[in-house]
Amino acid sequence: MPRTSMQITHDSAKTIVCLEGNWDFQTESKHLEALKNVLKNRPLSLVIDCACIQRIDFIFIVFLLDLLKSFDLNPEFIHTPNKMTRLLQTIPKDNPSASTQKELIVSRRSWNIFEKMGRYIEDFIQESLDFLNFCGMTLYAFTQALAHPLRIRIASLCYHINESGFKALPVSVLTALIVGAAVTLQGAMQLQGMGVPLMSVETTAKLSLREMGPFILALVIAGRSASSFTAQIGVMGLTEELDAMKTMNFSPFEFLVLPRVLALVIAMPLLVFLADAFALLGGMLAIKYQLGISFGAYIERFYDTVSWNHFWVGLIKAPFFGWAIAMVGCFRGFEVKGDTESVGRLTTISVVNALFWIIFINALFSVIFTKLNV
């Protein structure tokens, strides 16, 4: 076995350290200490001769470079084996000075806000494209179901209509009743102060039919169903149920997405009808309390001043609300990856996204119906 040793030669111009034998992870500590003592003296001109090295490895080279860095030495390596040459080229030896590092940190901080903005815009564009692709795949599954009606999962569709729609009915109508009463009460107080208390009937009724009933209902369904869809599909992904479906040649869009989307598109108009009724009931109670107008007088003026157009305006928006809630919930569910922490994070994101789309769709329809004078 080659003997590990080190020869040191001094002359007026330089110090030559000649390494001999094996210098690797098995090198004894006494040889490493001897090398460290030589370098600790910090010779002005250091040459490391590797001509007699029999074996060298990555660990020793890293150790040697750390020693040179700690003593601020920049030696000349001669007669290095090919392996050592490649390793020396792989490991960076030159480090920036403290001032240079400080300048880099300041530069990075100054550009950090632009980097974050760029990454946010890039992620937003990519997610938008992914969502459009997801919508296209869902539309394709829907057209395939229309061409082959037997592909529609009736049992799954009815289940989700009940779970996502009708089971949310108690909290939905209660919310519509409370909000309808609160808004009507504030409107009645203002109109009473202006000397036209009877106008509160048609004003708040139109508002309930066009905006409050559908909008409040959509917010409640978004918080309940969008999060539910994301969590259900996300957990299926973590437990590899989605992979199993694909292995068995079952389409996740046909079995998971389409029933949920159709369920909310069908259930939302029915729920809006009931939410409108309870919002009007809340308005009746508020006007009775604030203005003393009887229920009979309220209903009579309601029929005289409020047309069916306002009811249909709210009803037309309902399927679009249901579509947006279901699509966002399912889309975020398929994005769940890694661990259960992503389920909670993406569930929160799905609710926020669903609320945004509800507000956007509602505003868009308001502009369209205003332009059409409906």
Side-chain angles (χ1 to χ4, degrees):
M1 182 176 180
R3 184 175 59 88
T4 302
S5 62
M6 178 176 54
Q7 303 295 329
I8 303 172
T9 305
H10 297 278
D11 58 26
S12 59
K14 55 190 175 183
T15 299
I16 301 175
V17 177
C18 182
L19 302 178
E20 300 176 355
N22 295 339
W23 291 86
D24 53 17
F25 70 97
Q26 294 180 332
T27 302
E28 297 180 7
S29 59
K30 62 179 182 180
H31 300 300
L32 299 178
E33 284 295 328
L35 176 61
K36 184 177 180 180
N37 293 330
V38 172
L39 299 178
K40 189 183 295 185
N41 295 327
R42 297 186 180 182
L44 295 178
S45 181
L46 177 64
V47 177
I48 299 180
D49 189 355
C50 306
C52 298
I53 290 180
Q54 300 295 322
R55 186 171 65 193
I56 193 169
D57 63 0
F58 181 80
I59 295 176
F60 173 74
I61 293 177
V62 172
F63 170 78
L64 176 61
L65 292 179
D66 284 341
L67 282 180
L68 296 173
K69 179 181 176 182
S70 62
F71 297 129
D72 197 19
L73 296 173
N74 187 20
E76 176 187 359
F77 290 91
I78 60 175
H79 305 132
T80 56
N82 292 333
K83 178 181 178 181
M84 184 175 180
T85 303
R86 291 195 301 269
L87 291 175
L88 288 174
Q89 292 173 351
T90 303
I91 303 173
K93 301 184 292 300
D94 298 329
N95 295 311
S97 61
S99 60
T100 305
Q101 291 180 351
K102 189 177 296 184
E103 290 175 1
L104 288 173
I105 293 173
V106 173
S107 176
R108 288 171 182 169
R109 287 177 179 174
S110 62
W111 284 97
N112 192 34
I113 183 172
F114 298 104
E115 180 184 356
K116 287 183 177 180
M117 289 177 59
R119 291 185 181 276
Y120 177 80
I121 294 173
E122 181 186 5
D123 293 341
F124 176 77
I125 293 174
Q126 185 60 49
E127 285 190 358
S128 300
L129 294 175
D130 292 341
F131 184 69
L132 288 176
N133 183 51
F134 186 82
C135 293
M137 294 294 293
T138 306
L139 181 60
Y140 174 77
F142 178 68
T143 56
Q144 291 296 310
L146 291 180
H148 307 280
L150 294 178
R151 289 189 175 184
I152 300 177
R153 309 294 164 179
I154 301 298
S156 179
L157 177 61
C158 295
Y159 171 81
H160 287 296
I161 289 176
N162 180 56
E163 288 291 322
S164 304
F166 295 143
K167 283 193 174 181
L169 193 57
V171 66
S172 301
V173 297
L174 181 60
T175 305
L177 176 68
I178 295 173
V179 174
V183 173
T184 301
L185 181 62
Q186 295 299 319
M189 292 174 59
Q190 298 300 321
L191 293 172
Q192 186 180 24
M194 297 172 62
V196 283
L198 288 178
M199 285 190 63
S200 60
V201 175
E202 58 262 34
T203 301
T204 56
K206 293 176 182 178
L207 182 62
S208 297
L209 292 175
R210 297 175 69 100
E211 299 294 338
M212 282 193 302
F215 186 69
I216 297 301
L217 173 70
L219 295 182
V220 174
I221 298 298
R224 188 181 185 278
S225 298
S227 58
S228 174
F229 292 168
T230 302
Q232 290 170 0
I233 297 177
V235 171
M236 292 180 69
L238 293 180
T239 56
E240 299 183 353
E241 292 181 59
L242 296 179
D243 296 334
M245 290 181 64
K246 295 175 183 177
T247 302
M248 293 184 290
N249 201 27
F250 293 150
S251 171
F253 286 89
E254 183 179 329
F255 280 81
L256 300 178
V257 179
L258 198 58
R260 288 171 168 82
V261 175
L262 292 179
L264 282 188
V265 169
I266 294 171
M268 283 296 289
L270 304 176
L271 297 177
V272 164
F273 176 80
L274 296 174
D276 287 345
F278 277 84
L280 292 174
L281 177 61
M284 289 174 61
L285 295 174
I287 288 181
K288 174 68 176 178
Y289 168 79
Q290 180 65 26
L291 304 179
I293 299 176
S294 65
F295 293 159
Y298 180 96
I299 295 174
E300 182 180 355
R301 185 169 179 84
F302 176 82
Y303 276 114
D304 291 339
T305 57
V306 181
S307 65
W308 281 95
N309 290 341
H310 305 293
F311 169 73
W312 291 116
V313 165
L315 203 63
I316 289 172
K317 294 188 288 187
F320 294 91
F321 289 155
W323 173 85
I325 294 169
M327 289 296 294
V328 169
C330 294
F331 172 70
R332 293 301 181 185
F334 282 102
E335 283 193 327
V336 173
K337 296 289 188 299
D339 52 15
T340 54
E341 182 181 355
S342 63
V343 177
R345 180 174 57 85
L346 286 166
T347 298
T348 304
I349 293 174
S350 71
V351 174
V352 175
N353 293 158
L355 295 179
F356 167 78
W357 280 110
I358 289 169
I359 296 171
F360 177 79
I361 292 173
N362 189 66
L364 184 62
F365 272 106
S366 297
V367 173
I368 292 174
F369 289 133
T370 301
K371 292 295 183 180
L372 297 176
N373 198 23
V374 178

